[in-house]
Every structure is written in C-alpha cells, then in structure tokens.
Amino acid sequence: MKSHDVVIRPYTPDSDLKKLSRIWLDASLLAHPFIGEQRLHKQRVLIEDRYLPNAETWVACIDHQPCGFISLLDTFVGGIFISPDRQGLGIGRQLIAHALSLKGRLELEVYTDNRQAMAFYMGLGFQELSRRPRDDEGYAFENARLRLMG
C-alpha cells in the first residue's frame, strides 16, 4: 500500500467513536485472546466512556473510512489499533511516525504475550525500559514499557 492511500486526521467524537471502538474490539480479540472475550467487552465500555474522550487521538483512514487509530496521553501511546483486515499494510508504522513527529519521543506499554506487537515495536526501534508482572487491573499479564526517541 502506498502511503498516500492513508490519510491521518484528528479524531471526531460524533462520527468516530463507535467505529474506533469496533476497531479496538476486533483488534483486541485478535491480539489479546489471553485476556478473555468477556473482559475485553467490559473494557470496550471504558474505551468509549473514558479513554477516547480523554486522549489525543489520530485516525488513519483509507477512502475516508477509519481503519486504525493511535491515542496519545502527551508522549505516552495509550493505544494503537488497526482493523484486522488492514493489518500488515504499514498503517501502524504511519501512525507511529505521525505521533513521533508531533511529540519527539514516545513511550508505551505492551503485553509481552502479544508477540506480534512486541516484534512490531522492536522493529521500529523502540527500546525496552522495564517490565512488570501485572497489568493495570492487577491481572498476571506481563507488560513491557518501551520508548522510541525521534
């Protein structure tokens, strides 16, 4: 896919919320099966009610249709999700590059069991800073904290 096929634009709550929530759920079910479908459906409510409204979110679109997004809390990547049918086309790389150009550096946490994401971030040059054995909700899912400098 050529980079000009993807347009990155700011998040628009009225038109994007449900679409991005769906992308989040579809991508999370694929990337995080170890969390469990029931817990992911509960987290989707938080995505819609708390996380998307309070983050700086950039939406990747192809033919004016959202296909992925990155949500930032200053330089921290709260989440980056690509629709499963659009993964592997370079959209995630473009979103990271866009965020890095805005912020100068990025940090994030990723489940270490999400091997595809770990490989993706390491391939982009992220450096591992630390690991913790439990996630934000206290579940025994290891997280790695990573940083990328611009």
Side-chain angles (χ1 to χ4, degrees):
M1 168 169 292
K2 297 180 182 117
S3 60
H4 69 269
D5 292 333
V6 176
V7 173
I8 298 174
R9 61 162 175 78
Y11 169 69
T12 307
D14 293 340
S15 61
D16 290 335
L17 179 65
K18 292 297 182 186
K19 292 174 186 172
L20 298 192
S21 171
R22 181 82 238 174
I23 290 169
W24 176 87
L25 181 62
D26 292 345
S28 293
L29 288 168
L30 182 67
H32 306 135
F34 51 89
I35 291 176
E37 191 171 335
Q38 183 178 10
R39 185 170 167 220
L40 289 172
H41 280 283
K42 287 181 183 177
Q43 287 179 346
R44 185 179 184 185
V45 174
L46 293 174
I47 294 298
E48 293 180 1
D49 294 346
R50 188 180 307 158
Y51 298 123
L52 282 172
N54 293 309
E56 175 187 349
T57 298
W58 295 90
V59 182
C61 297
I62 296 175
D63 296 329
H64 306 287
Q65 293 301 311
C67 58
F69 67 95
I70 188 168
S71 292
L72 305 168
L73 303 164
D74 192 27
T75 61
F76 187 82
V77 178
I80 178 171
F81 295 91
I82 310 301
S83 182
D85 66 337
R86 299 292 188 164
Q87 291 181 6
L89 302 176
I91 297 166
R93 288 179 178 277
Q94 290 178 56
L95 285 166
I96 291 288
H98 180 78
L100 189 61
S101 73
L102 293 172
K103 304 297 181 180
R105 73 180 174 99
L106 298 174
E107 287 192 20
L108 56 83
E109 282 196 350
V110 60
Y111 289 112
T112 57
D113 282 347
N114 185 348
R115 304 216 186 286
Q116 182 179 357
M118 286 290 291
F120 170 74
Y121 295 126
M122 296 312 216
L124 290 175
F126 278 83
Q127 301 294 314
E128 186 171 324
L129 301 175
S130 62
R131 288 189 182 212
R132 61 186 174 114
R134 298 191 173 273
D135 67 10
D136 290 339
E137 295 177 25
Y139 290 93
F141 298 121
E142 184 179 68
N143 276 262
R145 187 161 187 111
L146 309 178
R147 177 184 295 149
L148 179 64
M149 303 299 286

